[in-house]
Amino acid sequence: MKVCIAEKPSVAKDIAKVIGANQRNDGYYEGNGYQVTWTFGHLCTLKEPQDYTPEWKSWDLNYLPMIPKNFGIKVIHDKGVAKQFKIIQKLVTDNQVEEIINCGDAGQEGELIQRWVLLKAKAKAPMKRLWISSLTEEAIKEGFNNLKDGEKYFNLFSAGQARAIGDWLLGMNATRLFTKKFAPPKTVLSIGRVQTPTLAMIVQRQKEINAFVVDEYWELKTIFKEVEFNATIPRLKSEEKAKQGLDFIKDREFEIIDFEIKEGREKNPRLFDLTSLQVEANKKYAFSAENTLKYIQSLYEKKFVTYPRVDTTYLSEDIYPKVTGILTKLSAYQNLVAPLMAQPIPMSKTVFDNTKVTDHHAIIPTEIFPQGLSNEEKRIYDLVARRFIAVFYPECKVANTTVEGKVENLGKDGNLSAINFKATGKQILELGWREVYVKDKKEDDKDEEKIMPIFEIGEKGPHEPFIHKGKTTPPKNYTEATLLRGMETAGRQVDDDEMRELMKENGIGRPSTRANIIETLFRRKYIEKKKRNIIATQTGMDLIDTIQDELLKSPELTGVWERKLRLIEKGEYELEQFKQELIEMVTKLTHEVKNSYFRPIASHQVSVQTQEKPKKERKPKEEINIEDATCPKCKNHQLIKGRTAYGCSNYKECNFKVPFEFMGKKLTDKQVLDLVTKQKTGKMTGLISPETGEKIAGKVILGMDFNLEFEA
């Protein structure tokens, strides 16, 4: 018997269907020599402080730093999690198991989730790894025909473990340390390896904006042959000097001294990695990074796009033979695809490069064209599909025009002097890849054409000079798009795609975690959003001011830690060495903060007085009788109440049930009825995340297999 462990029930169902495990049992599928079971997020987690020693339950400076001799893992405290773990444990420890196939999410976090479960279950059988980039039937079949040795991914697991241990050491110790030393009563100051330097970037930008002093300036401009020219002298600090300049050039002829047209090419945009997709979706549709991840993950699970949690913009060369097939399946885009089909698809190094691809390639469509998408999913799919088409178009050809002129006059000393002027323009000669985006609105002026007339050197004529008055502008607030780019490049402003690729190894966070980091900062009230701008709150600014240790808040230094994690993944750095460095850092930090005398953070909670409104009479609650409802699975029998769940009265055959408790939260009768009749509850708070153990909000839904699932 071979046991497969997938990342979630829906993926297990897809795999079971492909490999012929068609018999559904409680918590797994079986058939054709396979058993296919699943996790749902983290079933196991690192032990909490009090699991090592009772004293560590207390938030007391005297017990810091908390450094366990050996880090242990435990099953998350949740009835549903405990039940599924026992099912997995029973399957993987059976003496008849000849092989375990890890079918988890093909990335660092997915490797960690599955390996922790197998470690805790004490699985002994040899392990193989299913490593696929899409969930189509063809990809699953191909993956099972080419199963990898599980040992090949041990370094990936080590990097995931190092990340988790690092986050525990820093998060648990620094959060308690700063909370007890500096926080006002009943307030927690949350510190994290990635979230704190991210907050520091936002606070630094906020301080630059707050300290910015607006200055007025004046510029000399003139219009000649309907083209606006700018004086090449520095901006003038006073209106008086500007008027003197205007008097100097007024009533004098304008002369062309240089005219140049250079043909150039605009490179095709790169394929999307997760961060660049989140950036584009934020710029174009104002989608948050978290929502973009949710939509692209949904498209992946529906088999319409490839694996999304990637940090490369390249394809591996073995994808090249499949490109034509994928393009021909993009039925709604055939007017754009048709020109590409007229000749062979080019195998360009800017698209196909094995040296730039590690575990997964860039996000592209699969050969299955989508149907039944939400509007948000349609928009994300459209971004991915158009970008996939655009990379195979020719480059855009442009003509860049530069014109220089001058106005001469006698200076105060009686000598002839001049003020020079300059104008630039651009004309698109051949659209190339821009053809794919021709219907899009221009996002900024630099992309618009500015066609210039033909000038001749030496030509002269009257012109219309004028003074432009302007004001200096402060640095721009971060948006989610620019913040994601800042995290990717450790706070450096980088506009060039190739340079950005080189800097990715030193970025802070991973593509799959950056959205959650931003949401955590919002949730903890360290930042807030005004329109699209991200603003640091006073609490967020005070927290960063309180932290004196640069390592905690420096994006570049944190980027170095991130690079070491990537080296562990490649087998070029040891987990133990990384852990020891973190222990030394945490120990030093604890000593410094304990002995510091920085002022405590003031509470910034604002009490708002409101005029008391007359209370409305409450309507009597409607009586809810769940046992009158019909089972949504078999649709033939009514529900009955058991000891731990409501279930179908024909449970032995139907197997449908709704537990009284889910993710640590007791379901109300109304919520159970909503699940049975509407397949989802309203928004709920206080659910315990099986991944982080934190309280989260969202909806509980009935999945395709009629089991309860969480929806953010």
Side-chain angles (χ1 to χ4, degrees):
M1 185 66 72
K2 296 180 180 180
V3 178
C4 306
I5 308 180
E7 68 204 63
K8 58 177 65 176
S10 60
V11 177
K13 188 177 180 182
D14 290 337
I15 290 170
K17 184 180 176 184
V18 171
I19 63 177
N22 297 321
Q23 182 186 329
R24 173 68 194 265
N25 297 311
D26 188 13
Y28 67 100
Y29 296 90
E30 187 169 7
N32 197 27
Y34 290 96
Q35 291 170 327
V36 185
T37 186
W38 57 83
T39 57
F40 34 84
H42 284 269
L43 296 193
C44 295
T45 186
L46 288 175
K47 286 181 177 178
E48 295 176 74
Q50 62 268 27
D51 296 324
Y52 295 102
T53 175
E55 285 87 355
W56 285 0
K57 187 172 185 179
S58 171
W59 284 45
D60 190 324
L61 286 173
N62 295 313
Y63 295 134
L64 299 178
M66 301 176 292
I67 313 288
K69 285 184 180 177
N70 293 297
F71 281 86
I73 53 175
K74 66 175 186 177
V75 178
I76 285 170
H77 183 67
D78 177 271
K79 286 182 181 177
V81 167
K83 180 189 172 188
Q84 188 63 19
F85 176 78
K86 283 179 182 174
I87 291 168
I88 295 171
Q89 187 176 40
K90 185 179 177 184
L91 294 175
V92 299
T93 55
D94 192 296
N95 290 330
Q96 301 207 3
V97 174
E98 59 188 89
E99 188 174 270
I100 295 167
I101 303 172
N102 179 354
C103 305
D105 199 18
Q108 191 186 100
E109 193 74 4
E111 192 70 19
L112 183 71
I113 288 169
Q114 306 299 75
R115 293 248 190 176
W116 271 357
V117 170
L118 292 170
L119 275 173
K120 191 66 181 172
K122 296 180 179 174
K124 296 286 192 297
M127 186 173 71
K128 293 286 187 183
R129 188 59 160 103
L130 175 71
W131 196 269
I132 53 179
S133 287
S134 77
L135 293 174
T136 62
E137 185 176 328
E138 182 190 351
I140 293 170
K141 280 181 181 175
E142 192 177 319
F144 268 87
N145 289 333
N146 296 281
L147 289 172
K148 313 290 184 187
D149 188 341
E151 278 303 301
K152 181 185 173 186
Y153 298 93
F154 183 77
N155 289 332
L156 188 67
F157 165 60
S158 294
Q161 183 129 299
R163 181 182 298 278
I165 289 170
D167 289 345
W168 194 102
L169 277 169
L170 191 61
M172 291 289 187
N173 283 291
T175 295
R176 292 186 180 198
L177 183 66
F178 279 84
T179 297
K180 295 307 293 180
K181 186 76 179 177
F182 302 115
K186 297 181 181 179
T187 303
V188 173
L189 296 179
S190 177
I191 307 288
R193 185 179 56 82
V194 178
Q195 77 170 43
T196 302
T198 303
L199 175 61
M201 285 166 54
I202 299 165
V203 168
Q204 179 61 31
R205 179 65 56 86
Q206 191 67 48
K207 286 182 173 181
E208 289 169 3
I209 293 168
N210 293 349
F212 187 82
V213 177
V214 175
D215 287 324
E216 291 183 334
Y217 64 86
W218 289 263
E219 292 177 313
L220 282 179
K221 294 176 181 278
T222 192
I223 295 173
F224 180 65
K225 289 178 70 172
E226 298 184 352
V227 173
E228 186 178 295
F229 287 77
N230 298 312
T232 57
I233 58 175
R235 287 173 172 175
L236 302 169
K237 301 293 185 184
S238 71
E239 189 175 9
E240 185 183 342
K241 284 190 175 181
K243 285 179 178 177
Q244 287 173 2
L246 186 65
D247 289 340
F248 182 88
I249 62 174
K250 204 164 50 175
D251 303 325
R252 306 292 297 181
E253 283 191 322
F254 187 89
E255 180 183 352
I256 299 296
I257 57 174
D258 195 25
F259 177 68
E260 184 180 38
I261 299 176
K262 278 187 179 177
E263 285 196 11
R265 294 172 182 267
E266 290 184 352
K267 291 180 180 178
N268 300 49
R270 291 189 182 275
L271 291 168
F272 285 121
D273 58 10
L274 178 58
T275 301
S276 58
L277 179 64
Q278 288 169 318
V279 167
E280 189 70 13
N282 182 257
K283 283 161 64 176
K284 196 164 185 181
Y285 302 121
F287 288 171
S288 70
E290 185 180 47
N291 281 339
T292 298
L293 177 55
K294 183 172 77 174
Y295 303 141
I296 194 69
Q297 182 71 21
S298 173
L299 290 168
Y300 166 65
E301 290 172 13
K302 290 172 181 174
K303 309 178 183 60
F304 301 142
V305 300
T306 57
Y307 184 72
R309 296 166 187 259
V310 298
D311 61 356
T312 182
T313 57
Y314 291 86
L315 298 177
S316 51
E317 289 157 24
D318 62 353
I319 299 296
Y320 177 75
K322 302 176 183 179
V323 167
T324 302
I326 297 170
L327 287 168
T328 54
K329 295 290 184 183
L330 297 175
S331 51
Y333 300 89
Q334 284 309 300
N335 61 320
L336 297 173
V337 170
L340 296 178
M341 297 294 100
Q343 52 195 0
I345 298 295
M347 192 170 177
S348 166
K349 265 286 183 184
T350 58
V351 180
F352 302 95
D353 190 342
N354 284 346
T355 65
K356 302 290 177 66
V357 179
T358 50
D359 301 328
H360 294 284
H361 55 67
I363 306 168
I364 61 172
T366 65
E367 292 183 357
I368 301 173
F369 191 73
Q371 291 180 326
L373 300 181
S374 67
N375 285 334
E376 291 82 6
E377 288 172 338
K378 282 179 185 174
R379 285 176 162 182
I380 296 298
Y381 184 84
D382 183 67
L383 290 177
V384 173
R386 285 181 185 273
R387 185 61 61 91
F388 182 63
I389 294 166
V391 296
F392 300 114
Y393 264 71
E395 291 179 333
C396 172
K397 286 185 182 178
V398 296
N400 294 307
T401 307
T402 305
V403 190
E404 292 182 27
K406 68 177 181 180
V407 177
E408 290 183 324
N409 204 341
L410 293 175
K412 289 180 180 178
D413 58 1
N415 293 323
L416 195 65
S417 60
I419 294 177
N420 287 7
F421 290 81
K422 186 177 182 179
T424 58
K426 181 175 82 172
Q427 183 178 0
I428 294 175
L429 304 175
E430 292 178 20
L431 280 169
W433 61 265
R434 284 184 174 273
E435 186 75 45
V436 180
Y437 300 100
V438 77
K439 290 183 180 177
D440 284 4
K441 284 184 178 180
K442 301 289 190 296
E443 290 187 0
D444 51 28
D445 292 337
K446 70 180 181 184
D447 284 337
E448 289 185 8
E449 283 191 278
K450 186 179 175 185
I451 300 172
M452 310 280 275
I454 299 296
F455 291 95
E456 289 185 15
I457 295 173
E459 73 172 291
K460 297 180 181 179
H463 61 113
E464 302 167 39
F466 63 97
I467 295 170
H468 166 74
K469 180 182 177 182
K471 291 181 180 179
T472 54
T473 55
K476 290 183 179 179
N477 284 106
Y478 280 112
T479 62
E480 284 208 34
T482 55
L483 182 58
L484 283 164
R485 282 298 188 212
M487 293 172 78
E488 187 181 48
T489 56
R492 295 191 184 102
Q493 184 65 41
V494 180
D495 296 319
D496 182 74
D497 281 339
E498 288 181 23
M499 182 60 71
R500 191 179 292 130
E501 283 289 327
L502 293 171
M503 291 191 63
K504 280 182 179 179
E505 286 211 351
N506 287 341
I508 56 175
R510 289 177 71 82
S512 55
T513 61
R514 287 176 188 140
N516 185 52
I517 292 295
I518 295 170
E519 290 303 316
T520 298
L521 292 173
F522 279 123
R523 197 166 59 247
R524 290 184 173 144
K525 305 285 192 293
Y526 295 156
I527 60 174
E528 60 189 13
K529 194 177 282 187
K530 291 183 179 176
K531 295 184 179 177
R532 292 195 185 190
N533 292 333
I534 294 175
I535 313 292
T537 63
Q538 191 59 50
T539 303
M541 294 179 79
D542 285 350
L543 175 58
I544 294 302
D545 287 343
T546 302
I547 299 170
Q548 300 301 298
D549 191 298
E550 279 303 311
L551 190 61
L552 274 184
K553 56 185 180 180
S554 163
E556 288 186 38
L557 290 173
T558 307
V560 172
W561 289 113
E562 201 67 41
R563 185 169 181 274
K564 288 179 180 177
L565 287 167
R566 290 175 184 267
L567 290 174
I568 293 171
E569 197 172 304
K570 294 174 183 176
E572 298 171 11
Y573 207 80
E574 291 298 322
L575 164 59
E576 281 305 314
Q577 185 179 346
F578 179 80
K579 189 167 80 174
Q580 198 54 45
E581 288 171 2
L582 270 171
I583 288 170
E584 288 172 10
M585 189 198 89
V586 167
T587 304
K588 180 171 174 273
L589 174 71
T590 304
H591 176 76
E592 288 175 354
V593 172
K594 277 184 178 181
N595 294 293
S596 68
Y597 296 96
F598 201 78
R599 65 180 176 83
I601 291 176
S603 176
H604 295 289
Q605 291 180 343
V606 182
S607 59
V608 182
Q609 291 187 339
T610 56
Q611 190 175 348
E612 201 170 306
K613 294 181 180 178
K615 291 181 180 178
K616 292 183 180 178
E617 284 188 32
R618 289 186 179 179
K619 293 181 181 178
K621 288 185 177 178
E622 289 183 35
E623 191 175 330
I624 296 172
N625 192 347
I626 297 167
E627 294 176 63
D628 286 344
T630 303
C631 171
K633 187 175 181 183
C634 69
K635 297 183 171 57
N636 292 322
H637 299 83
Q638 289 185 305
L639 300 182
I640 56 172
K641 188 174 184 178
R643 282 182 298 174
T644 60
Y646 286 98
C648 179
S649 53
N650 188 30
Y651 181 75
K652 285 186 179 179
E653 291 185 20
C654 174
N655 290 326
F656 175 74
K657 66 176 181 180
V658 179
F660 296 154
E661 188 178 294
F662 180 71
M663 290 176 68
K665 178 93 170 180
K666 188 176 179 182
L667 300 174
T668 65
D669 287 352
K670 171 75 165 56
Q671 287 162 346
V672 173
L673 190 64
D674 284 345
L675 280 165
V676 172
T677 56
K678 302 175 184 176
Q679 281 71 58
K680 64 180 178 180
T681 66
K683 187 175 180 180
M684 295 172 62
T685 56
L687 295 162
I688 307 296
S689 167
E691 296 181 10
T692 63
E694 291 188 354
K695 289 187 177 181
I696 54 175
K699 296 178 182 179
V700 180
I701 64 169
L702 270 188
M704 292 175 67
D705 55 359
F706 293 95
N707 285 322
L708 300 193
E709 295 177 11
F710 173 73
E711 183 181 80

PDB file of all heavy atoms in Angstrom, residues 574-587:
ATOM      1  N   GLU A 574      24.246  25.811   7.367  1.00  0.00           N
ATOM      2  CA  GLU A 574      23.714  24.828   8.316  1.00  0.00           C
ATOM      3  C   GLU A 574      22.610  25.424   9.178  1.00  0.00           C
ATOM      4  O   GLU A 574      22.729  26.552   9.673  1.00  0.00           O
ATOM      5  CB  GLU A 574      24.846  24.315   9.215  1.00  0.00           C
ATOM      6  CG  GLU A 574      25.876  23.451   8.503  1.00  0.00           C
ATOM      7  CD  GLU A 574      25.262  22.175   7.934  1.00  0.00           C
ATOM      8  OE1 GLU A 574      24.382  21.586   8.582  1.00  0.00           O
ATOM      9  OE2 GLU A 574      25.673  21.784   6.823  1.00  0.00           O
ATOM     10  N   LEU A 575      21.561  24.638   9.387  1.00  0.00           N
ATOM     11  CA  LEU A 575      20.457  25.043  10.259  1.00  0.00           C
ATOM     12  C   LEU A 575      20.967  25.367  11.657  1.00  0.00           C
ATOM     13  O   LEU A 575      20.564  26.375  12.260  1.00  0.00           O
ATOM     14  CB  LEU A 575      19.403  23.922  10.304  1.00  0.00           C
ATOM     15  CG  LEU A 575      18.352  23.963  11.420  1.00  0.00           C
ATOM     16  CD1 LEU A 575      17.541  25.242  11.369  1.00  0.00           C
ATOM     17  CD2 LEU A 575      17.418  22.767  11.322  1.00  0.00           C
ATOM     18  N   GLU A 576      21.847  24.525  12.205  1.00  0.00           N
ATOM     19  CA  GLU A 576      22.347  24.728  13.565  1.00  0.00           C
ATOM     20  C   GLU A 576      23.108  26.046  13.689  1.00  0.00           C
ATOM     21  O   GLU A 576      23.011  26.737  14.700  1.00  0.00           O
ATOM     22  CB  GLU A 576      23.232  23.556  13.989  1.00  0.00           C
ATOM     23  CG  GLU A 576      22.465  22.324  14.429  1.00  0.00           C
ATOM     24  CD  GLU A 576      21.465  22.615  15.553  1.00  0.00           C
ATOM     25  OE1 GLU A 576      21.838  23.304  16.530  1.00  0.00           O
ATOM     26  OE2 GLU A 576      20.306  22.164  15.438  1.00  0.00           O
ATOM     27  N   GLN A 577      23.879  26.391  12.672  1.00  0.00           N
ATOM     28  CA  GLN A 577      24.630  27.650  12.703  1.00  0.00           C
ATOM     29  C   GLN A 577      23.676  28.839  12.682  1.00  0.00           C
ATOM     30  O   GLN A 577      23.853  29.807  13.425  1.00  0.00           O
ATOM     31  CB  GLN A 577      25.589  27.722  11.510  1.00  0.00           C
ATOM     32  CG  GLN A 577      26.499  28.945  11.544  1.00  0.00           C
ATOM     33  CD  GLN A 577      27.470  28.990  10.372  1.00  0.00           C
ATOM     34  OE1 GLN A 577      27.654  28.001   9.667  1.00  0.00           O
ATOM     35  NE2 GLN A 577      28.086  30.137  10.156  1.00  0.00           N
ATOM     36  N   PHE A 578      22.644  28.749  11.837  1.00  0.00           N
ATOM     37  CA  PHE A 578      21.633  29.811  11.755  1.00  0.00           C
ATOM     38  C   PHE A 578      20.940  29.973  13.104  1.00  0.00           C
ATOM     39  O   PHE A 578      20.750  31.094  13.592  1.00  0.00           O
ATOM     40  CB  PHE A 578      20.617  29.448  10.664  1.00  0.00           C
ATOM     41  CG  PHE A 578      19.511  30.452  10.497  1.00  0.00           C
ATOM     42  CD1 PHE A 578      19.708  31.613   9.775  1.00  0.00           C
ATOM     43  CD2 PHE A 578      18.260  30.233  11.060  1.00  0.00           C
ATOM     44  CE1 PHE A 578      18.686  32.547   9.617  1.00  0.00           C
ATOM     45  CE2 PHE A 578      17.230  31.153  10.909  1.00  0.00           C
ATOM     46  CZ  PHE A 578      17.449  32.309  10.185  1.00  0.00           C
ATOM     47  N   LYS A 579      20.568  28.848  13.714  1.00  0.00           N
ATOM     48  CA  LYS A 579      19.870  28.877  15.003  1.00  0.00           C
ATOM     49  C   LYS A 579      20.761  29.496  16.078  1.00  0.00           C
ATOM     50  O   LYS A 579      20.298  30.322  16.877  1.00  0.00           O
ATOM     51  CB  LYS A 579      19.463  27.450  15.386  1.00  0.00           C
ATOM     52  CG  LYS A 579      18.543  27.372  16.594  1.00  0.00           C
ATOM     53  CD  LYS A 579      17.914  25.994  16.730  1.00  0.00           C
ATOM     54  CE  LYS A 579      18.877  25.031  17.357  1.00  0.00           C
ATOM     55  NZ  LYS A 579      18.250  23.716  17.643  1.00  0.00           N
ATOM     56  N   GLN A 580      22.059  29.119  16.089  1.00  0.00           N
ATOM     57  CA  GLN A 580      22.983  29.641  17.092  1.00  0.00           C
ATOM     58  C   GLN A 580      23.158  31.152  16.948  1.00  0.00           C
ATOM     59  O   GLN A 580      23.208  31.882  17.953  1.00  0.00           O
ATOM     60  CB  GLN A 580      24.334  28.935  16.966  1.00  0.00           C
ATOM     61  CG  GLN A 580      25.221  29.062  18.193  1.00  0.00           C
ATOM     62  CD  GLN A 580      24.530  28.608  19.483  1.00  0.00           C
ATOM     63  OE1 GLN A 580      23.884  27.567  19.525  1.00  0.00           O
ATOM     64  NE2 GLN A 580      24.632  29.422  20.524  1.00  0.00           N
ATOM     65  N   GLU A 581      23.219  31.640  15.721  1.00  0.00           N
ATOM     66  CA  GLU A 581      23.343  33.082  15.487  1.00  0.00           C
ATOM     67  C   GLU A 581      22.118  33.830  16.010  1.00  0.00           C
ATOM     68  O   GLU A 581      22.230  34.906  16.603  1.00  0.00           O
ATOM     69  CB  GLU A 581      23.529  33.353  13.991  1.00  0.00           C
ATOM     70  CG  GLU A 581      24.898  32.950  13.467  1.00  0.00           C
ATOM     71  CD  GLU A 581      24.996  33.029  11.953  1.00  0.00           C
ATOM     72  OE1 GLU A 581      24.008  33.437  11.315  1.00  0.00           O
ATOM     73  OE2 GLU A 581      26.055  32.678  11.410  1.00  0.00           O
ATOM     74  N   LEU A 582      20.945  33.237  15.795  1.00  0.00           N
ATOM     75  CA  LEU A 582      19.716  33.867  16.294  1.00  0.00           C
ATOM     76  C   LEU A 582      19.671  33.857  17.817  1.00  0.00           C
ATOM     77  O   LEU A 582      19.233  34.835  18.443  1.00  0.00           O
ATOM     78  CB  LEU A 582      18.489  33.139  15.727  1.00  0.00           C
ATOM     79  CG  LEU A 582      17.965  33.668  14.393  1.00  0.00           C
ATOM     80  CD1 LEU A 582      16.909  32.743  13.827  1.00  0.00           C
ATOM     81  CD2 LEU A 582      17.377  35.061  14.545  1.00  0.00           C
ATOM     82  N   ILE A 583      20.093  32.753  18.431  1.00  0.00           N
ATOM     83  CA  ILE A 583      20.114  32.666  19.898  1.00  0.00           C
ATOM     84  C   ILE A 583      21.025  33.750  20.470  1.00  0.00           C
ATOM     85  O   ILE A 583      20.669  34.439  21.439  1.00  0.00           O
ATOM     86  CB  ILE A 583      20.565  31.258  20.353  1.00  0.00           C
ATOM     87  CG1 ILE A 583      19.456  30.235  20.068  1.00  0.00           C
ATOM     88  CG2 ILE A 583      20.923  31.248  21.841  1.00  0.00           C
ATOM     89  CD1 ILE A 583      19.865  28.788  20.249  1.00  0.00           C
ATOM     90  N   GLU A 584      22.195  33.922  19.873  1.00  0.00           N
ATOM     91  CA  GLU A 584      23.130  34.965  20.331  1.00  0.00           C
ATOM     92  C   GLU A 584      22.514  36.351  20.183  1.00  0.00           C
ATOM     93  O   GLU A 584      22.646  37.206  21.067  1.00  0.00           O
ATOM     94  CB  GLU A 584      24.435  34.880  19.528  1.00  0.00           C
ATOM     95  CG  GLU A 584      25.291  33.666  19.881  1.00  0.00           C
ATOM     96  CD  GLU A 584      26.473  33.482  18.942  1.00  0.00           C
ATOM     97  OE1 GLU A 584      26.740  34.412  18.136  1.00  0.00           O
ATOM     98  OE2 GLU A 584      27.118  32.413  18.993  1.00  0.00           O
ATOM     99  N   MET A 585      21.824  36.583  19.055  1.00  0.00           N
ATOM    100  CA  MET A 585      21.203  37.879  18.824  1.00  0.00           C
ATOM    101  C   MET A 585      20.106  38.157  19.850  1.00  0.00           C
ATOM    102  O   MET A 585      20.017  39.246  20.426  1.00  0.00           O
ATOM    103  CB  MET A 585      20.618  37.928  17.412  1.00  0.00           C
ATOM    104  CG  MET A 585      20.144  39.309  17.000  1.00  0.00           C
ATOM    105  SD  MET A 585      19.021  39.254  15.591  1.00  0.00           S
ATOM    106  CE  MET A 585      17.458  39.057  16.419  1.00  0.00           C
ATOM    107  N   VAL A 586      19.254  37.150  20.093  1.00  0.00           N
ATOM    108  CA  VAL A 586      18.140  37.311  21.037  1.00  0.00           C
ATOM    109  C   VAL A 586      18.672  37.519  22.453  1.00  0.00           C
ATOM    110  O   VAL A 586      18.146  38.346  23.216  1.00  0.00           O
ATOM    111  CB  VAL A 586      17.198  36.083  20.963  1.00  0.00           C
ATOM    112  CG1 VAL A 586      16.233  36.068  22.134  1.00  0.00           C
ATOM    113  CG2 VAL A 586      16.420  36.092  19.647  1.00  0.00           C
ATOM    114  N   THR A 587      19.724  36.783  22.835  1.00  0.00           N
ATOM    115  CA  THR A 587      20.311  36.925  24.172  1.00  0.00           C
ATOM    116  C   THR A 587      20.873  38.333  24.357  1.00  0.00           C
ATOM    117  O   THR A 587      20.647  38.982  25.389  1.00  0.00           O
ATOM    118  CB  THR A 587      21.421  35.873  24.373  1.00  0.00           C
ATOM    119  OG1 THR A 587      20.865  34.570  24.141  1.00  0.00           O
ATOM    120  CG2 THR A 587      21.986  35.931  25.773  1.00  0.00           C
TER     121      THR A 587
END
